[in-house]
């Protein structure tokens, strides 16, 4: 059996609240040559026209959430699930198993001594048991709200509602092995990423080292 099969790469689960800067941090790791498995990308791929997940969503939520081009109307669906807890749970039941399967598939074929698996909703996710360490991208909630308002969120109330629908900052920090404080400059975030990259390479090297027998 191969060394890679015996000892899979170190798997780092990268998480954080909405607008905390997860994608920016993931891109910084990618710039260093680290393999990235991103559940946001996977979640879009599994609902492409013709995919079984899209048909299940159509059956549950109706034709109104699929556009004339056959694409999922994400904004309309987002509004439904933010206003209805059961609807959100039903959507997660459709998507999460498929996303999890694809994450595992991509992780199994990714190269490198360690990999970053981006999971925005890692708190309470089955993928928490799949990763070896948890890296939380953290910033103050007022920074998240300002970033949401700079996107397409119309009011502070809507931004607050989006934050309330996710795990709390405290819950994310409780599962963290490592934290990147992402409320400052990009230069500061890149420095933290560089330091963690060196640390993860060291952890991965120790993990793959042959065991010593007395």
């Amino acid at each position: 059996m191969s060394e890679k099969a015996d000892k899979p790469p170190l798997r780092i689960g990268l998480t954080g609240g909405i607008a905390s800067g997860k994608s920016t941090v993931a891109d910084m790791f990618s710039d260093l040559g680290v393999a990235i498995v991103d559940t946001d990308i996977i979640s879009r791929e599994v609902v492409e026209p013709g995919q079984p997940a899209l048909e299940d969503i159509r059956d549950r939520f109706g034709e109104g959430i699929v556009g004339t081009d056959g694409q999922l109307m994400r904004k309309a669906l987002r509004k439904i699930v933010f206003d209805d807890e059961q609807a959100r749970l039903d959507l997660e039941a459709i998507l999460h198993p498929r996303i999890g399967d694809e994450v595992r598939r991509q992780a199994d074929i990714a190269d490198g001594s360690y990999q970053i698996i981006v999971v925005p909703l890692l708190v309470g996710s089955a993928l928490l048991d799949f990763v070896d360490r948890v890296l939380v991208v953290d910033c103050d909630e007022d920074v998240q709200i300002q970033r949401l308002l700079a996107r397409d969120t119309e009011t502070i109330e809507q931004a607050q509602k989006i934050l309330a629908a996710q795990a709390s900052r405290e819950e994310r920090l409780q599962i963290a092995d490592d934290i990147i404080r992402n409320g400052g400059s990009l230069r500061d975030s890149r420095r933290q990423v560089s330091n963690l990259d060196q640390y993860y390479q060291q952890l991965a090297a120790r993990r793959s080292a042959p065991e010593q027998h007395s």
Side-chain angles (χ1 to χ4, degrees):
M1 187 176 292
S2 70
E3 181 79 8
K4 182 173 182 179
D6 285 333
K7 297 178 181 177
L10 183 70
R11 290 168 177 154
I12 310 297
L14 189 157
T15 193
I18 190 169
S20 61
K22 296 181 299 296
S23 296
T24 298
V25 168
D27 287 344
M28 290 176 179
F29 276 105
S30 180
D31 290 343
L32 296 174
V34 180
I36 308 295
V37 178
D38 193 333
T39 59
D40 275 343
I41 295 173
I42 292 171
S43 68
R44 291 193 290 270
E45 293 173 345
V46 300
V47 295
E48 286 293 314
Q51 292 295 321
L54 181 59
E55 296 309 308
D56 288 349
I57 292 172
R58 189 201 307 263
D59 289 342
R60 168 59 178 84
F61 296 98
E63 295 290 337
I65 52 86
V66 178
T68 56
D69 59 355
Q71 296 284 342
L72 179 65
M73 298 175 65
R74 298 177 183 280
K75 191 171 183 179
L77 183 59
R78 191 181 305 123
K79 186 176 187 307
I80 293 172
V81 299
F82 274 136
D83 290 338
D84 185 335
E85 175 72 6
Q86 187 57 53
R88 181 180 65 80
L89 293 173
D90 290 346
L91 179 63
E92 290 177 355
I94 293 170
L95 294 179
H96 286 187
R98 292 180 168 101
I99 293 170
D101 288 346
E102 180 61 14
V103 166
R104 291 173 175 85
R105 188 193 71 80
Q106 291 189 19
D108 284 345
I109 63 175
D111 293 325
S113 59
Y114 80 92
Q115 55 194 214
I116 297 289
I117 301 176
V118 185
V119 190
L121 304 179
L122 189 55
V123 174
S125 168
L127 289 172
L128 185 57
D129 292 330
F130 181 67
V131 299
D132 300 300
R133 294 183 70 85
V134 174
L135 169 59
V136 171
V137 181
D138 181 58
C139 66
D140 292 336
E141 288 187 359
D142 59 342
V143 174
Q144 290 177 267
I145 289 174
Q146 291 304 315
R147 289 172 178 172
L148 284 171
L149 292 174
R151 295 182 184 180
D152 59 356
T153 305
E154 297 175 0
T155 67
I156 290 178
E157 289 73 20
Q158 287 176 330
Q160 291 172 334
K161 190 172 184 179
I162 291 171
L163 292 183
Q166 297 190 335
S168 69
R169 183 183 186 187
E170 290 74 20
E171 288 173 318
R172 287 190 295 272
L173 292 175
Q174 282 177 0
I175 67 169
D177 295 294
D178 310 298
I179 301 170
I180 285 181
R181 306 291 183 185
N182 196 38
S185 67
L186 286 175
R187 180 177 180 179
D188 183 55
S189 296
R190 197 176 297 278
R191 176 188 58 78
Q192 294 178 74
V193 167
S194 178
N195 289 340
L196 280 173
D197 173 63
Q198 295 177 42
Y199 178 54
Y200 292 153
Q201 289 188 49
Q202 292 170 2
L203 290 180
R206 291 203 293 268
R207 175 191 180 99
S208 62
E211 294 184 4
Q212 300 295 323
H213 300 283
S214 58

